Amino acid sequence: MPTPKYAILYLFLRPTELIIKPKGEQKVGFDIPVSYWPERYQNKRDELLGRFCECDTLIPVKEMEYLPDFTIPRQLGRNDSFSIFHPKHAKAAAVLIEAFMNTETYEDFLSLATCCREQMNIEMFIYALSVAILHHPDTKDLPLPPLCHIFPQKYFDRSVIAQAREEATLLGETSREIIEIREDFTATDLDEEHRVAYWREDIGVNLHHWHWHLVYPFAGDPSVVDKDRRGELFYYMHEQIMARYNCERLCNRLNRVKRFVNWHEPILEGYFSNLDSVNTSRMWPARPTGIPLKEVHQPPDFYFDITDLERWRDRIYDAIHSGYVIDNNGKHVRLTEKDGIDILGNIIEAVTTLSINSTFYGNVHNLGHLAICVCHDPDYRYKQNFGVMGNQATAMRDPIFYRWHAFVNNIFIEYKNTLPAYSKEQLEYPHIEVEDIELTTNGQPNILNTFFTTREIDLSQGLAFADGGPIKVRYTHLDYVRFTYKIVVNNRDNAKKKGTVRIFMAPQQNERKEPFGFSMQKTLMIEMDKFSVEIPPGQYAIKRESNKSSVTVSIDRIFENTPDNYKTNPNDDKSNLDICKCGWPDNMLVPKGTVEGFPMDLFVMVSDYSGDLVEQDEPTGCKVADSYCGLRDRKYPDARPMGYPFDRPAQEGVETLADFLRKDMKDTKNKENMKNMKIQKVMIKFMDNSMKKDARSGSEDTGST
């Protein structure tokens, strides 16, 4: 019989324990060749199999005739700290990914993966295997288990892990209690940054960042890395994170993020994650307040200085203002309106196969992460692990992540500001008029409601000491009551039209309760949804449910994807809908707001679909969250620049969002607006009490377009 495809997913479970131990509720084990065992256990194979391999299902694993050259990956010890931002670690992971991708059959892929699981650095292995499964033709329709199931240590503080160990050791499955996670486990309100810890440390938010970088890795085989508009999407996804985070800060009476630009001054924000490391008994290192960046010297021979970052930064800014970059052959390549942002994105992230000249423009983004994550021990004299900024699964927990990305985002804004403003012709859609916008929550017009609620997660799949049965934790997270958009559009032509509905939202006021000017408010525009619609002649009402958003993925389905679930029913529609799992968690679509109500501007635009259309085959699956994640094996499904129409400076004279809608700012007597756009004032009200999960379903059952 052929090996079932889902079998490879069991390699993720309890990754720090031997592969021969049964995995999951189905007690799946692997019969691996002796040569794949760690060397110290090879002569004890029969004894260990007799003690541990009580499996209901045993997956046979063939021995490969030839193994790839793994000299580079083997330089990283099995229990060493791993950071994809470290160039040598990234190279090692790339070699592993390429080896997985080069396997010709599923059986070869499974065989190579089982060999590497027992002999490679476990964090590097999980990263490389995740990337490969998402891209290998034989496995890319499999749902990856969420990383919080694989490495709970990256999401739950050490006291929770210790309590879970105690529950698993002393109590049977039916006697275990749900472990409550304190909301203040990383700090107290003495640290004002703790006001937004619920957002930074949200499990879904951090899973999104991790998963996005699996779909869009910066190192590996070209078939994995080279995707349509990859550099631009790196810019846009992180730009949207910054817009959302700044809005969240304003909701909590905090200033917007201050860019981290002076790299010789101490970092004022400290961060203590209180998380355990995966491979050691140590905690993730803390960064006390006031530590500066220093030259980095990681053994045996990796070195860079802060002046390297400054030199690369200056060269990128020079390229932006000169209008061209210099490629590896010394040739000038223009930063055009169409391709410039994509070129810059790949340069800034130093994408191995796409950066136009990595020697000259360097590795600003990744080595910035690395410099921050080792600033507590830059020369490794105390043998400290990387801090949370060194890992894509944990970096968003740290306040400095947002200061660093405010700097990175400003580079892109600098480039965008060199582009011409959109003309009236590029913004208008003749004959189409948006007459009315109404957002409805439980019958309330233009009110959004948010609240805190709880969710339970089973940790047993990631804990080597758990011998059976669930070990559940309960954590608190933000959520919102589902709502409905009603957009009334009038098609004043006699023919049917097709358009793209673009919905954005941004705060109206700054920290001082003063109205935002347009140049600042446009940088805070949060994309809420984007979808195409057929508009018949005359007046037409479009209804759209918030849970259909083009930026979100269902957090329920993310947590449900386990190997056992897939084995039980591999054709279950609910599992297959979210096989990509890339996307903003749907419970975090709406900012928190305030008890009294936080004022926002809701912007709706219907653009001409003929200018939005991308000629390509319709995807057969994985259509969720395409605004942030694109489409698998397809071009990005919108021909416009990402963030359109707010990605460029406005025409001269535009000072407010209302001005932006004006047809002609130069004609002071003509106050007519472009009719395919409209603004609606809305309020976000936070309900200051816990609500049950079913409070989410608050919108009317009206159907959708």
Side-chain angles (χ1 to χ4, degrees), residues 465-477:
F465 52 77
D467 291 329
I471 305 171
K472 292 187 176 181
V473 298
R474 181 182 294 127
Y475 80 99
T476 300
H477 64 84

Side-chain angles (χ1 to χ4, degrees), residues 363-381:
N363 192 347
V364 174
H365 170 264
N366 295 344
L367 291 190
H369 268 267
L370 189 64
I372 294 169
C373 80
V374 300
C375 65
H376 57 283
D377 189 18
D379 58 5
Y380 200 62
R381 70 179 64 189

Side-chain angles (χ1 to χ4, degrees), residues 529-544:
D529 204 352
K530 179 171 60 180
F531 57 95
S532 60
V533 61
E534 299 274 359
I535 309 171
Q539 195 177 73
Y540 181 64
I542 302 167
K543 291 186 179 181
R544 175 83 166 181

Side-chain angles (χ1 to χ4, degrees), residues 342-360:
D342 199 51
I343 292 171
L344 285 173
N346 290 324
I347 284 175
I348 290 169
E349 201 188 6
V351 182
T352 51
T353 56
L354 301 179
S355 178
I356 206 161
N357 191 341
S358 58
T359 302
F360 187 69

Side-chain angles (χ1 to χ4, degrees), residues 82-137:
F82 170 76
S83 173
I84 193 63
F85 298 118
H86 192 303
K88 292 197 172 183
H89 294 191
K91 174 62 176 175
V95 170
L96 206 53
I97 293 168
E98 187 171 357
F100 290 151
M101 292 299 297
N102 285 340
T103 54
E104 295 183 358
T105 66
Y106 171 77
E107 285 71 22
D108 286 344
F109 186 5
L110 178 64
S111 175
L112 187 60
T114 55
C115 175
C116 293
R117 186 188 189 276
E118 299 303 277
Q119 301 187 20
M120 299 289 177
N121 178 275
I122 194 62
E123 286 194 80
M124 177 181 65
F125 167 76
I126 290 295
Y127 170 78
L129 181 65
S130 299
V131 172
I133 284 178
L134 286 175
H135 294 86
H136 197 284

